[in-house]
Amino acid sequence: VSKGKAIMKAFVTGGNGFIGRELVRGLLRQGSCDEVNIYSLGDQPCEGEEPDTRVKFLYGDVLDIGGMARAMEGYDVVFHFAANPHVQLFLNDPHFLQGTTATYNVLTAMRLAGIQQIVFASSSVVYGDTDSLDPIPEDAPLAPVSLYGASKVAAEAMIRAFCRVYDFHAIILRLANIIGPNPTHGVLFNWRNALASNQKILRVLGDGYQEKSYLHVAECVDAILWVLRCQPCQKGFIDAINIGNVDTIRLSEIAKMMVAKFGRPDTEIIYAGGRAGWVGDVPKVFMDISRLRAMGGRPMFNSRLAVDKSIR
């Protein structure tokens, strides 16, 4: 996974998810993987695609340390992308179990299986509500305002501890809003379903002035692969890097784009009001991707084009 070293065998948790599927394709496409093991509770991925003999699918749960450790044996690196992506959940919240506990289990299984390299999918929500569009660097304070964000911060801290105590090598990816075709959650998914059932009205949580970066999933994976090629390979190494876009787009603009594509000329957009869409929402966030760009990773599509490409 690191500079000068080909990925031979990769173990991917969440490899059947929205980003995970594209990651698996990217790892195989770059030609340095002999084998990718997708460890997931979901159905087998890539239906309709030509089977790839390098892909192994194992039905398993990240909450099962023993089973996961046995499945990991013989692999070189773990990509931990399994998570519950629904940031707005806060009642009977699953994020501690599916986020923090699951990450501890992955790290423990790695230790038992003798694997020391991990690539972890974190999120821009770890920075919290800055109420600003000033670019946020990787060394900014972590101040989450949602339980999802708190679970990511806790997972990052756990990874750092394992790097110090067990000489793990870790890359933490703080991802912006990742979008693309066939989403499983998020604003594009929710609004497309809403317009499919009622084209008269599109209801938008918040005042529409929420503004964030959106990155196409294919470019997200390209950026991840750039980072992996540029990082040194040494025991105890840990680095966190922002994976995002060069700009932002307002939620109201996305709503208009969705109505133009899936609605009618008379579809009314109704805003619920308030600066945040829900408890724990971060209305404005813009991560500084200077370090990513210095490594050679630069998105071809800005946020608006990423949305447009995702809804075609």
Side-chain angles (χ1 to χ4, degrees):
V1 69
S2 304
K3 188 175 182 180
K5 180 183 178 181
I7 301 173
M8 300 304 292
K9 297 181 69 176
F11 188 96
V12 184
T13 72
N16 199 27
F18 176 63
I19 301 175
R21 290 189 184 203
E22 193 69 30
L23 172 67
V24 170
R25 296 186 186 105
L27 290 170
L28 297 172
R29 188 170 58 245
Q30 74 171 0
S32 59
C33 264
D34 289 342
E35 183 177 317
V36 177
N37 187 322
I38 298 173
Y39 192 77
S40 173
L41 285 172
D43 296 329
Q44 294 204 24
C46 306
E47 292 181 7
E49 296 184 9
E50 195 68 28
D52 193 313
T53 57
R54 293 171 295 174
V55 177
K56 310 296 181 185
F57 183 87
L58 182 61
Y59 185 89
D61 192 345
V62 291
L63 299 179
D64 176 9
I65 295 177
M68 190 162 41
R70 289 188 293 273
M72 282 181 181
E73 289 179 1
Y75 285 85
D76 303 306
V77 56
V78 171
F79 290 82
H80 181 30
F81 279 60
N84 188 319
H86 299 284
V87 181
Q88 64 267 45
L89 292 176
F90 61 95
L91 296 175
N92 299 319
D93 192 84
H95 293 308
F96 180 80
L97 186 63
Q98 297 178 11
T100 310
T101 301
T103 300
Y104 172 78
N105 290 353
V106 168
L107 292 166
T108 301
M110 288 174 61
R111 178 176 60 81
L112 295 173
I115 305 172
Q116 291 184 296
Q117 295 191 77
I118 183 170
V119 180
F120 175 62
S122 187
S123 168
S124 63
V125 299
V126 299
Y127 296 116
D129 186 359
T130 64
D131 194 25
S132 168
L133 288 176
D134 293 336
I136 305 171
E138 286 87 351
D139 60 359
L142 305 184
V145 295
S146 66
L147 295 180
Y148 174 76
S151 76
K152 289 296 187 183
V153 172
E156 288 193 19
M158 194 73 65
I159 291 169
R160 291 181 183 278
F162 269 71
C163 285
R164 176 63 65 90
V165 176
Y166 298 112
D167 286 333
F168 276 25
H169 171 281
I171 297 172
I172 294 171
L173 308 164
R174 293 178 181 154
L175 306 179
N177 291 275
I178 309 303
I179 57 176
N182 304 315
T184 57
H185 64 280
V187 64
L188 302 187
F189 175 80
N190 294 338
W191 286 353
R192 183 165 184 174
N193 287 341
L195 288 168
S197 62
N198 182 6
Q199 290 190 318
K200 294 181 179 180
I201 294 174
L202 177 63
R203 299 186 185 278
V204 177
L205 299 177
D207 56 15
Y209 286 92
Q210 301 98 308
E211 191 166 346
K212 307 174 185 182
S213 277
Y214 289 81
L215 183 66
H216 194 276
V217 64
E219 295 207 294
C220 171
V221 169
D222 286 345
I224 292 170
L225 297 179
W226 269 111
V227 171
L228 300 183
R229 284 192 287 266
C230 293
Q231 296 291 27
C233 181
Q234 60 191 52
K235 291 183 177 181
F237 175 86
I238 183 168
D239 193 15
I241 186 160
N242 293 336
I243 306 291
N245 216 322
V246 296
D247 66 351
T248 58
I249 184 173
R250 277 189 179 175
L251 196 65
S252 58
E253 290 302 308
I254 299 177
K256 293 174 185 176
M257 294 171 70
M258 292 293 289
V259 166
K261 178 67 176 178
F262 302 110
R264 304 186 314 204
D266 62 344
T267 299
E268 183 181 5
I269 301 174
I270 298 179
Y271 296 95
R275 61 182 293 271
W278 58 84
V279 175
D281 181 28
V282 179
K284 297 181 186 294
V285 62
F286 181 35
M287 294 189 296
D288 185 348
I289 61 167
S290 298
R291 292 190 57 226
L292 173 63
R293 296 175 68 177
M295 294 178 187
R298 179 183 174 87
M300 293 178 60
F301 309 116
N302 63 17
S303 293
R304 185 180 184 86
L305 287 174
V307 173
D308 181 64
K309 186 175 176 65
S310 299
I311 66 176
R312 285 180 186 174

